[in-house]
Amino acid sequence: MKRVGIVGSRTYTNRRKIREFVYKLKDQLGEKVEVVSGGQKLGADGFAKKYALEFGLKYVEFPPSHYNWNMHCVRPVGEYNKPYYISNYIKRKKQIAEYSDIIVAFIQPGYESRGTNDTIRHAEKEKKLVKIIN
């Protein structure tokens, strides 16, 4: 099973690029791929989830621990519904990088997402393959 982490900012709007990428995953790997995201509703995470599920791919997510648990969460239910701390986001980015085999970052030209860049740094420390799509 190839675990492909799809990350990007909440303001990422090019749904076509993510749709085409996820479709290509389905076409090339079929049931041998698992799409991983951070569980945000907007932007790259939201599009990754939408298209992974629409195309019938296995999908999992790592929302921050102050979010509610849902059926796509990798972490156990007891790790959710916690108090809000900014560090919840930092921990989640590291978990995505550690869990995924490859990180694919969708980055809008001219926009810098500190969160996406942080996930990329974690992946590089883990010696994971990182692909950036503008």
Side-chain angles (χ1 to χ4, degrees), residues 68-126:
N68 293 327
W69 182 89
N70 69 67
M71 64 190 264
H72 303 293
C73 292
V74 175
R75 310 297 304 162
V77 67
E79 293 190 24
Y80 292 96
N81 299 316
K82 302 291 185 187
Y84 170 86
Y85 295 105
I86 193 71
S87 62
N88 295 350
Y89 290 103
I90 296 165
K91 183 173 147 185
R92 182 257 318 251
K93 293 169 204 161
K94 186 175 180 186
Q95 289 170 340
I96 293 169
E98 289 172 348
Y99 184 83
S100 301
D101 298 313
I102 178 174
I103 294 292
V104 180
F106 287 86
I107 299 175
Q108 294 174 170
Y111 180 81
E112 184 174 338
S113 171
R114 291 186 318 213
T116 302
N117 290 335
D118 196 32
T119 305
I120 291 169
R121 279 191 295 278
H122 284 300
E124 289 171 341
K125 283 181 188 174
E126 293 287 323

Side-chain angles (χ1 to χ4, degrees), residues 23-41:
Y23 184 81
K24 202 177 286 185
L25 285 177
K26 176 187 168 113
D27 193 44
Q28 294 174 355
L29 298 171
E31 294 180 9
K32 297 177 185 167
V33 68
E34 179 178 67
V35 174
V36 182
S37 94
Q40 295 297 325
K41 291 179 182 167

